[in-house]
C-alpha cells in the first residue's frame, strides 16, 4: 500500500503496546506499515502519544535519516517480539530488558504552568538515537506485567489483524471498530439471513 493510500494510524487498542502491534496490519487489500522508516517512527510515536512534537523535532534535527531508519528497524523487531508474546509464544525477555536497562527515567518536581501548585512527574532524558525505543519498551513492560491477558483480543473480522484491550464493562467487545469490522459483520449477517429466507 502506498503512502498516499495509507490512512492515519489505527489507535483503537486502548493500550499503547497493542497500538504498537497494530502499527502494521492487514487492512482492505493489503498490509499497511506505519513504521517504514525513522521519520515514520517519529510520526507514529507522536500520534500515539509516546513522544511530544518537541522531541520529534529534536530527533529530526540531531540525528541522520540513516540512524533513525536503523532505530525504526529495531522497533519493527521489537514489534515482532511483542506480537509473538501476545499470540501465546514465550519469547526470551532479553530484547526488552536490554532496552529498559538503558532508561534515563527519573522523578522530578516542577511548577504547574496553569495553577499555583507543584507537580510530581516522571521525566526521561532523550540523548541517544536509541532512546526512542524507551517509551515503547516501557509501554510493552507495563502491558505484559499489568494487563490481564484474557482481555487482550484480536478483532473477529475475518481478515482483520488488529489487537485491542477489551475494557468494556462486560468484556464483550468483538471488533476493532464497530464502524469498520462491526458493520461488515452486520452486513454479512443481513445478507446471509436474506439468502436463507429466499
Amino acid at each position: 500500500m502506498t503512502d498516499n493510500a495509507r490512512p492515519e494510524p489505527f489507535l483503537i487498542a486502548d493500550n499503547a503496546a497493542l497500538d504498537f502491534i497494530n502499527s502494521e496490519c492487514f487492512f482492505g487489500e493489503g498490509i499497511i506499515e506505519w513504521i517504514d522508516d525513522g521519520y515514520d517512527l517519529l510520526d507514529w510515536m507522536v500520534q500515539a502519544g509516546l513522544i511530544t512534537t518537541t522531541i520529534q523535532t529534536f530527533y529530526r534535527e540531531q540525528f541522520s535519516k540513516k540512524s533513525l531508519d536503523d532505530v525504526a528497524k529495531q522497533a519493527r523487531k521489537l514489534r515482532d517480539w511483542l506480537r509473538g508474546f501476545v499470540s501465546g509464544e514465550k519469547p526470551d525477555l532479553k530484547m526488552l530488558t536490554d532496552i529498559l536497562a538503558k532508561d534515563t527515567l527519573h522523578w522530578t518536581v516542577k511548577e504547574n504552568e496553569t495553577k499555583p501548585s507543584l507537580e510530581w512527574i516522571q521525566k526521561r532524558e532523550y540523548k541517544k538515537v536509541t532512546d526512542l525505543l524507551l517509551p515503547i519498551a516501557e509501554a510493552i513492560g507495563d502491558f505484559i506485567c499489568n494487563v490481564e491477558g484474557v482481555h487482550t483480543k484480536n478483532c473477529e473480522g475475518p481478515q482483520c489483524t488488529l489487537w485491542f484491550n477489551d475494557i468494556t464493562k462486560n468484556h464483550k467487545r468483538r471488533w476493532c471498530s464497530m464502524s469498520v469490522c462491526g458493520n461488515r459483520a452486520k452486513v454479512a449477517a443481513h445478507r446471509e439471513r436474506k439468502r436463507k429466507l429466499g
Side-chain angles (χ1 to χ4, degrees), residues 35-83:
I35 305 179
D36 263 330
D37 62 23
Y39 290 163
D40 278 354
L41 175 62
L42 290 169
D43 292 344
W44 182 85
M45 290 181 75
V46 167
Q47 289 170 306
L50 293 176
I51 61 171
T52 64
T53 55
T54 303
I55 294 166
Q56 177 187 38
T57 301
F58 167 76
Y59 272 91
R60 282 181 177 257
E61 290 174 353
Q62 296 296 317
F63 297 98
S64 70
K65 173 112 173 44
K66 183 189 179 317
S67 63
L68 289 169
D69 289 349
D70 289 345
V71 170
K73 185 177 181 181
Q74 292 175 56
R76 291 190 300 270
K77 284 182 184 174
L78 186 58
R79 182 180 63 195
D80 291 343
W81 179 93
L82 178 59
R83 187 175 285 122

Side-chain angles (χ1 to χ4, degrees), residues 1-171:
M1 185 167 282
T2 65
D3 281 347
N4 291 339
R6 185 171 68 185
E8 291 294 307
F10 299 146
L11 303 172
I12 53 85
D14 290 313
N15 180 276
L18 293 175
D19 280 332
F20 180 54
I21 290 179
N22 294 340
S23 65
E24 178 192 49
C25 71
F26 185 87
F27 187 78
E29 297 177 10
I31 299 289
I32 304 175
E33 172 63 80
W34 280 276
I35 305 179
D36 263 330
D37 62 23
Y39 290 163
D40 278 354
L41 175 62
L42 290 169
D43 292 344
W44 182 85
M45 290 181 75
V46 167
Q47 289 170 306
L50 293 176
I51 61 171
T52 64
T53 55
T54 303
I55 294 166
Q56 177 187 38
T57 301
F58 167 76
Y59 272 91
R60 282 181 177 257
E61 290 174 353
Q62 296 296 317
F63 297 98
S64 70
K65 173 112 173 44
K66 183 189 179 317
S67 63
L68 289 169
D69 289 349
D70 289 345
V71 170
K73 185 177 181 181
Q74 292 175 56
R76 291 190 300 270
K77 284 182 184 174
L78 186 58
R79 182 180 63 195
D80 291 343
W81 179 93
L82 178 59
R83 187 175 285 122
F85 187 94
V86 169
S87 298
E89 296 172 19
K90 291 297 174 206
D92 185 353
L93 293 173
K94 185 171 177 14
M95 178 187 287
L96 180 63
T97 56
D98 282 354
I99 295 168
L100 291 169
K102 297 172 183 143
D103 205 343
T104 57
L105 194 66
H106 61 273
W107 286 95
T108 189
V109 176
K110 84 171 216 182
E111 290 187 39
N112 189 312
E113 295 172 7
T114 57
K115 55 187 176 182
S117 65
L118 298 175
E119 291 181 280
W120 181 233
I121 61 166
Q122 284 188 314
K123 185 173 179 169
R124 176 174 281 124
E125 299 295 331
Y126 289 92
K127 295 177 181 174
K128 300 179 298 221
V129 69
T130 54
D131 289 346
L132 267 179
L133 297 173
L134 295 172
I136 296 171
E138 179 186 6
I140 291 170
D142 180 63
F143 170 74
I144 66 175
C145 293
N146 297 322
V147 175
E148 291 185 63
V150 70
H151 302 309
T152 298
K153 299 178 181 177
N154 192 224
C155 178
E156 291 182 19
Q159 292 186 317
C160 188
T161 61
L162 294 173
W163 290 86
F164 58 86
N165 182 32
D166 185 358
I167 59 170
T168 60
K169 187 174 181 180
N170 58 8
H171 301 296

